[in-house]
Amino acid sequence: MADTYTIKTAQQKFTAVVQGAADHPVTITKQGKAVAGMMSIDRMEAIAETMEVLADPKAMAAIRAHREGR
């Protein structure tokens, strides 16, 4: 579940927005368009770690081999 706030509302409810981002991504909009997102540091670190694994050819080869039962 993602919450969406305008910039103005996000400013007014900053503490609540940050608390919400601890549980699920939050979208910030400007004139109806998404312009920013907020997420917990744990989620951000997990995404960064996943990107590192995906960028590592040896790690991906090991994952593929495991999936193929080798």
Side-chain angles (χ1 to χ4, degrees):
M1 174 178 134
D3 292 334
T4 301
Y5 297 90
T6 64
I7 290 175
K8 183 176 182 177
T9 302
Q11 289 172 329
Q12 293 169 344
K13 299 181 177 186
F14 186 72
T15 300
V17 173
V18 171
Q19 289 171 342
D23 297 325
H24 52 270
V26 173
T27 302
I28 310 297
T29 63
K30 181 177 181 179
Q31 297 177 346
K33 290 180 74 174
V35 294
M38 188 182 296
M39 67 180 77
S40 71
I41 194 72
D42 289 340
R43 186 176 185 110
M44 185 185 74
E45 288 172 347
I47 291 169
E49 184 177 342
T50 299
M51 291 172 61
E52 288 176 15
V53 170
L54 291 171
D56 182 339
K58 288 182 182 178
M60 291 306 299
I63 291 169
R64 279 190 221 84
H66 175 76
R67 286 182 178 166
E68 295 169 2
R70 295 187 273 140

